[in-house]
Amino acid sequence: MTLTRMSLQRSSRFQRLISDSRRSKQLLVLLILPLMMTSLIDNGEAAWQDGIQPHIRVSQLDESDLQRFMGNRSYFKLLEQDGDSLLVGARNIVYNISLKSLDEMKRLEWYSTNDDISMCRLKGKSEEECQNYIRVLARKSEDTILVCGTNAFKPMCRHYKQTPSDYEVTKETSGEGLCPYDPNHNSTAIYADGDLYVATVAQFSGTDPLIYREPLRTEQFNFEHLNAPSFVSSIHHEEYVYFFFRETAVEYINCGKMVYSRVARVCTRDKGGAHKFRNRWTSFLKARLNCSLPGEFPFYFNEIQSTSHIVDGLYGGKPAQLIYAVFTTPTNSISGSAVCAFRLEDILKTFDGPFKGHEDVNFNWLPVQNSKVPEPRPGQCVNDSRTLPEMTVNFIKNHNLMDQAVPAFWGKPIVIYTGFKYRYTHIAVDPQIETANGKKFDVLFIGTDNGKVIKALNGGSAGGASQNVIPVIVEEMLVFPQRFPVTNLLVYHTAQEAKLVVVSQNEILTIPLHSCNKHARTCSACVALRDPYCAWDTSQRICTSSKQRIWKSDKFVQNVADGWDARCPEVPSTSTSTSRTTEQIVTCPPCPVKCVCPNGPGYIDNEVDDIGRPLNKDTSPQRSPQLSRHDNHLGSRPIPQEDPDIRPNISPDSPDAARDYHLIYTAETLAIAVTSSIVSSLVVGFISGYIFSRRCRTEEMESPYLDEGPYGETQPNARIDPRNLDTFLPVSVNNKPINLVLNVPPKTGKTANSSADNKPLQKAKKIYL
Ligand SMILES: *[C@@H]1O[C@H](CO)[C@@H](O)[C@H](O)[C@H]1NC(C)=O
Ligand SMILES: *[C@@H]1O[C@H](CO)[C@@H](O)[C@H](O)[C@H]1NC(C)=O
Ligand SMILES: *[C@@H]1O[C@H](CO)[C@@H](O)[C@H](O)[C@H]1NC(C)=O
Ligand SMILES: *[C@@H]1O[C@H](CO)[C@@H](O)[C@H](O)[C@H]1NC(C)=O
Ligand SMILES: *[C@@H]1O[C@H](CO)[C@@H](O)[C@H](O)[C@H]1NC(C)=O
């Protein structure tokens, strides 16, 4: 209602202006022009990362670089690094694998008993389900490990003592509350300060989710504590244990069903409350994680899938502790995945902020006023939680959700993929890789559900502005040609070795973290990789991952933030940066739909970098052809470059600067084109309309018919010449009947009304304020 009224007021004001014939034209132009411009530029700058393509695509890995472990092809899932060995929880077996060679060192076999299996079968479960899936693995002491498994829908935990050749069971207990019954349920566990913390599902039916550390748990069957959660990971840091999961959002329940991502935390010192709270957490709090594309209506990636460890680093010169996480959209919506980073400080800040609460089931969730929060503040770590007043403990029972969502560091995702080919499943981070110019970057390895690993980073993370995201996708590797989903990832980076452990359900592989020399043979190609591991050695003339780049940095050329460097001889470095940009504008004409401009310094040019080496698809990594940055971001096929020869003249600008220039350039052109056509049609329309109106004025003047009835336009003998109206302003053809009626001022009312359509006006307002 208010909207319509506003638009009506605005339009009637407009009509007056417009009927004031001469001035009106200018005003209209002035009004429409910025609208057109802003809406166009706005579209161009949308945060969707259109057309960001990997610099290298590898569809077949070099067998000699790989290590492979097949075991018994038995549902590898859980990974625990134990020094130089890797413990892999699988079906009925825990493998102890050397990280150096990926050879099996030892194995622990634990099959369910026949009794348990037949009981499980009796309950109607399949043979596949009635096995022992290992879900908890933790080192309790020097020689003891704790293992819990689903054990044919009868979860059990065992303590195993390590002997040089074998493992001996020393203790066996029920695994209720520590391990799910159903192998499909997602759970997570972590051993911290001598205690096991788990987030899992209890009960055969799987209806009792809980976060548990003996004897404390979350409230049972309380949807506000946990609502059909899928647990993703757990992290111990200082006095807290954090859990990451997604769950049905209880604060959204009045509006339909929605899944949100959460971080929850408990204090390691929590001893439970007094009396009836003695086996309940007094410190369990949770908050939403906000991984979204900012905008008037943010686009949310709501379903967390995996997190990294805590990464300690310098970002724009400031220290921070980050947790990277992979998010996806729900499976039944537009398929999209994103990686966001969250700063530990922001998580803590959210937990120190207002709580969310609601008066009654049907009331909205609102922030709880400070005055209603008891003292001492609930959810803090205290020496002895059993001495907390009942007020505090009772409050937290009903208010464990924080009002604010944890904002993403940098304010938006680092990389996004929208398209139907795959979704991200997992993430591992090799933190703070130092480059030749002293900047440090976190290298992200992202697994997908079709067997790929994507190497990506934020090229702007070392830059000054803390809001800087320059998504860089260095490499996309097809690790499992059978397209098995990647179920886990681990970076193993020692002084001697650097490799990535990639796990699928029935295979474990290691791949090198980098192969600089294979991917680039020239200085400019090496720098264009934007790979923090790879620098161009100017004396040996190779693209190398040598550590010397850090202490002999003047001998090495590397520039991750920009992807080009003036020191590379193949690149003409005569022109200054300004002339380069103009050159770019000249070389790339306005492209209406798909621009195949030969820029893209981020891409490898086959002719430049591949000196004398035939590109054999079966044995060498495949390069992506020169790709357009204006490629469809919904995963359309890359367009081959049309004219690769032009490229060397123009490349050496920052690709992102180049992209921005393109956007502004094309947007401007379009805006100018559109506005000039509008202006010219206005002029023509105005002149003809003016002549007509002069002619018809005598008849029309003071025509009372508009006041006669509410349906003016249906009046059979309405005397307005429709041609007159249509030519006066070309924009005004489709009008709604009501408008004509309500806009009392006669004659030109119709035209003015439509041009003052309130939508773009609002938009303009928002942009300028
Ligand atoms: C598992 O594989 C090993 C060799 O890797 C083999 O000796 C053993 O029989 C297999 N076990 C099962 C249950 O298939
Ligand atoms: C795994 O094997 C290595 C090498 O044999 C050994 O040092 C390590 O203690 C083993 N770990 C476990 C948990 O068995
Ligand atoms: C566990 O997580 C996987 C991967 O996100 C998902 O496909 C599956 O549905 C989850 N299981 C349950 C029981 O929610
Ligand atoms: C999430 O972040 C975006 C962008 O930073 C912001 O616009 C939006 O309001 C945030 N959403 C919530 C629920 O905090
Ligand atoms: C908590 O205990 C530690 C040592 O156990 C002590 O240093 C600290 O002062 C105590 N804090 C409070 C608030 O009692």
Side-chain angles (χ1 to χ4, degrees):
M1 270 309 284
T2 41
L3 265 181
T4 358
R5 211 177 304 138
M6 266 166 57
S7 77
L8 286 173
Q9 281 170 2
R10 209 177 284 146
S11 50
S12 55
R13 221 179 305 142
F14 239 81
Q15 290 150 16
R16 256 167 271 138
L17 286 171
I18 282 177
S19 56
D20 238 14
S21 56
R22 233 154 262 150
R23 230 181 310 143
S24 66
K25 187 184 70 189
Q26 291 166 343
L27 271 163
L28 213 70
V29 170
L30 282 177
L31 200 104
I32 287 173
L33 191 128
L35 285 181
M36 300 302 296
M37 298 282 268
T38 45
S39 67
L40 280 166
I41 290 169
D42 193 40
N43 286 343
E45 278 177 351
W48 293 100
Q49 299 168 2
D50 351 9
I52 291 187
Q53 298 285 342
H55 301 164
I56 309 160
R57 271 179 219 273
V58 180
S59 59
Q60 182 134 25
L61 293 162
D62 204 337
E63 248 344 277
S64 63
D65 290 340
L66 304 182
Q67 292 165 331
R68 204 181 284 272
F69 177 77
M70 308 285 271
N72 290 56
R73 296 188 159 267
S74 46
Y75 289 87
F76 303 125
K77 176 149 176 130
L78 199 62
L79 285 190
E80 288 293 333
Q81 189 179 351
D82 181 25
D84 284 337
S85 52
L86 185 64
L87 299 178
V88 183
R91 183 171 65 192
N92 305 319
I93 300 174
V94 177
Y95 297 93
N96 181 346
I97 303 170
S98 156
L99 270 168
K100 292 198 156 67
S101 60
L102 224 61
D103 290 330
E104 184 177 330
M105 310 301 292
K106 263 167 123 177
R107 74 161 62 173
L108 181 162
E109 297 193 7
W110 174 9
Y111 290 90
S112 304
T113 62
N114 285 337
D115 285 355
D116 288 342
I117 291 175
S118 45
M119 200 60 186
C120 174
R121 300 283 283 142
L122 265 182
K123 289 173 185 163
K125 302 294 173 187
S126 70
E127 194 176 332
E128 185 101 338
E129 289 170 304
C130 293
Q131 308 214 26
N132 189 18
Y133 294 85
I134 308 298
R135 285 293 177 268
V136 177
L137 265 178
R139 178 177 282 283
K140 277 205 94 147
S141 67
E142 201 52 22
D143 63 347
T144 311
I145 55 170
L146 170 71
V147 183
C148 304
T150 60
N151 187 36
F153 274 79
K154 186 187 169 207
M156 298 290 282
C157 288
R158 282 179 177 178
H159 288 146
Y160 281 94
K161 196 173 153 64
Q162 276 173 262
T163 63
S165 60
D166 210 351
Y167 298 94
E168 280 170 15
V169 183
T170 55
K171 192 174 158 193
E172 189 173 82
T173 57
S174 160
E176 173 84 36
L178 299 174
C179 180
Y181 285 71
D182 187 334
N184 296 317
H185 278 136
N186 296 303
S187 65
T188 171
I190 189 166
Y191 207 73
D193 296 345
D195 287 306
L196 183 68
Y197 293 77
V198 289
T200 188
V201 188
Q203 297 199 346
F204 185 84
S205 57
T207 49
D208 179 20
L210 77 167
I211 289 179
Y212 179 65
R213 186 208 70 201
E214 207 189 356
L216 308 180
R217 60 162 295 164
T218 47
E219 216 52 55
Q220 196 174 21
F221 307 127
N222 183 333
F223 293 136
E224 294 182 12
H225 278 218
L226 294 167
N227 191 3
S230 235
F231 296 104
V232 163
S233 67
S234 41
I235 294 175
H236 175 214
H237 186 258
E238 290 174 353
E239 52 186 352
Y240 300 109
V241 172
Y242 297 91
F243 295 92
F244 293 85
F245 59 100
R246 53 182 194 269
E247 65 170 348
T248 307
V250 72
E251 69 267 38
Y252 193 82
I253 228 131
N254 292 342
C255 332
K257 192 179 163 176
M258 184 82 109
V259 170
Y260 282 174
S261 295
R262 308 274 198 210
V263 54
R265 77 165 191 205
V266 295
C267 285
T268 52
R269 274 187 285 162
D270 198 335
K271 294 190 173 80
H275 313 301
K276 62 175 178 169
F277 294 112
R278 69 184 179 284
N279 56 3
R280 293 289 184 265
W281 295 108
T282 64
S283 59
F284 172 71
L285 294 178
K286 64 180 181 181
R288 184 179 177 193
L289 294 168
N290 181 351
C291 182
S292 62
L293 287 170
E296 201 171 341
F297 301 100
F299 183 89
Y300 289 95
F301 296 88
N302 267 333
E303 304 202 356
I304 193 169
Q305 302 292 340
S306 162
T307 70
S308 71
H309 296 292
I310 293 178
V311 173
D312 248 305
L314 277 179
Y315 305 93
K318 293 202 192 84
Q321 293 173 306
L322 299 188
I323 295 163
Y324 290 88
V326 160
F327 293 80
T328 62
T329 54
T331 36
N332 59 358
S333 77
I334 303 168
S335 167
S337 313
V339 175
C340 280
F342 297 94
R343 194 162 57 144
L344 210 53
E345 200 182 308
D346 291 330
I347 296 178
L348 292 176
K349 210 188 276 171
T350 306
F351 284 127
D352 284 339
F355 296 90
K356 221 185 195 54
H358 62 157
E359 302 279 306
D360 203 344
V361 194
N362 291 319
F363 281 74
N364 277 340
W365 287 75
L366 297 167
V368 177
Q369 284 165 16
N370 244 341
S371 58
K372 291 195 178 155
V373 177
E375 277 292 323
R377 187 184 157 92
Q380 303 298 103
C381 290
V382 292
N383 273 354
D384 190 351
S385 59
R386 285 167 300 192
T387 61
L388 285 172
E390 185 158 342
M391 274 280 279
T392 298
V393 183
N394 229 341
F395 181 89
I396 201 149
K397 183 185 163 194
N398 302 316
H399 300 87
N400 47 54
L401 179 61
M402 307 314 298
D403 183 57
Q404 302 285 311
V406 183
F409 193 58
W410 295 304
K412 58 183 159 202
I414 298 153
V415 284
I416 293 170
Y417 173 78
T418 45
F420 296 95
K421 287 184 196 157
Y422 56 79
R423 283 165 182 270
Y424 297 164
T425 55
H426 254 270
I427 187 165
V429 177
D430 199 6
Q432 298 291 293
I433 301 303
E434 189 164 350
T435 61
N437 52 12
K439 293 183 173 165
K440 291 183 179 174
F441 296 91
D442 293 336
V443 183
L444 317 179
F445 294 93
I446 305 158
T448 72
D449 63 358
N450 69 345
K452 287 186 177 174
V453 170
I454 294 160
K455 183 184 189 177
L457 57 105
N458 177 4
S461 68
S466 62
Q467 295 301 313
N468 217 354
V469 173
I470 303 175
V472 175
I473 297 179
V474 179
E475 201 171 349
E476 187 183 290
M477 294 159 274
L478 184 59
V479 178
F480 300 113
Q482 310 85 350
R483 310 263 171 196
F484 297 127
V486 173
T487 57
N488 219 329
L489 289 169
L490 181 110
V491 173
Y492 180 64
H493 199 160
T494 63
Q496 298 82 35
E497 273 188 289
K499 58 191 175 193
L500 182 71
V501 181
V502 190
V503 183
S504 77
Q505 207 174 60
N506 40 37
E507 198 174 356
I508 299 176
L509 278 184
T510 65
I511 59 175
L513 293 186
H514 45 75
S515 22
C516 311
N517 196 24
K518 276 193 189 148
H519 296 327
R521 296 295 174 87
T522 64
C523 179
S524 58
C526 186
V527 174
L529 284 180
R530 309 177 87 179
D531 187 330
Y533 299 109
C534 301
W536 180 253
D537 183 336
T538 49
S539 56
Q540 297 198 44
R541 302 192 51 74
I542 48 167
C543 192
T544 172
S545 60
S546 162
K547 283 266 163 52
Q548 288 188 3
R549 70 178 188 270
I550 295 155
W551 62 84
K552 286 191 188 162
S553 54
D554 50 334
K555 273 184 61 199
F556 290 85
V557 183
Q558 191 174 17
N559 192 333
V560 173
D562 300 331
W564 72 277
D565 199 284
R567 284 171 292 170
C568 288
E570 301 88 357
V571 166
S573 49
T574 45
S575 53
T576 67
S577 74
T578 39
S579 71
R580 222 182 295 122
T581 42
T582 27
E583 207 177 309
Q584 221 150 16
I585 287 171
V586 174
T587 1
C588 181
C591 318
V593 185
K594 283 194 174 160
C595 185
V596 194
C597 296
N599 69 328
Y603 301 122
I604 301 167
D605 189 274
N606 289 338
E607 308 204 334
V608 179
D609 77 328
D610 232 356
I611 301 170
R613 201 171 61 124
L615 202 68
N616 183 335
K617 279 184 184 173
D618 291 325
T619 54
S620 69
Q622 278 189 337
R623 311 268 146 101
S624 61
Q626 283 286 304
L627 297 165
S628 157
R629 287 192 170 267
H630 297 262
D631 196 5
N632 179 356
H633 56 76
L634 283 173
S636 74
R637 295 198 65 79
I639 317 155
Q641 194 203 358
E642 285 174 355
D643 189 3
D645 295 333
I646 307 172
R647 183 186 166 264
N649 299 332
I650 7 150
S651 64
D653 203 351
S654 141
D656 298 273
R659 188 184 50 185
D660 287 347
Y661 258 95
H662 275 275
L663 288 176
I664 290 163
Y665 178 57
T666 46
E668 266 177 4
T669 331
L670 240 170
I672 289 166
V674 172
T675 28
S676 55
S677 64
I678 287 175
V679 170
S680 51
S681 46
L682 270 172
V683 172
V684 172
F686 172 75
I687 293 171
S688 52
Y690 188 71
I691 294 167
F692 261 100
S693 65
R694 282 309 277 267
R695 266 190 209 159
C696 310
R697 174 150 297 180
T698 39
E699 302 165 45
E700 251 177 56
M701 269 295 175
E702 267 83 61
S703 167
Y705 73 93
L706 273 174
D707 298 325
E708 283 172 5
Y711 301 104
E713 86 288 358
T714 57
Q715 295 245 342
N717 48 359
R719 281 186 290 167
I720 285 186
D721 182 358
R723 273 176 304 149
N724 177 11
L725 286 168
D726 286 349
T727 45
F728 188 78
L729 265 184
V731 215
S732 69
V733 187
N734 47 355
N735 248 308
K736 282 179 191 141
I738 308 167
N739 291 341
L740 187 72
V741 176
L742 291 174
N743 294 325
V744 185
K747 210 172 84 176
T748 45
K750 211 173 181 183
T751 35
N753 185 16
S754 71
S755 60
D757 179 21
N758 68 333
K759 208 170 140 202
L761 255 180
Q762 271 196 327
K763 195 165 190 180
K765 245 188 179 166
K766 280 209 171 99
I767 287 158
Y768 289 129
L769 278 177

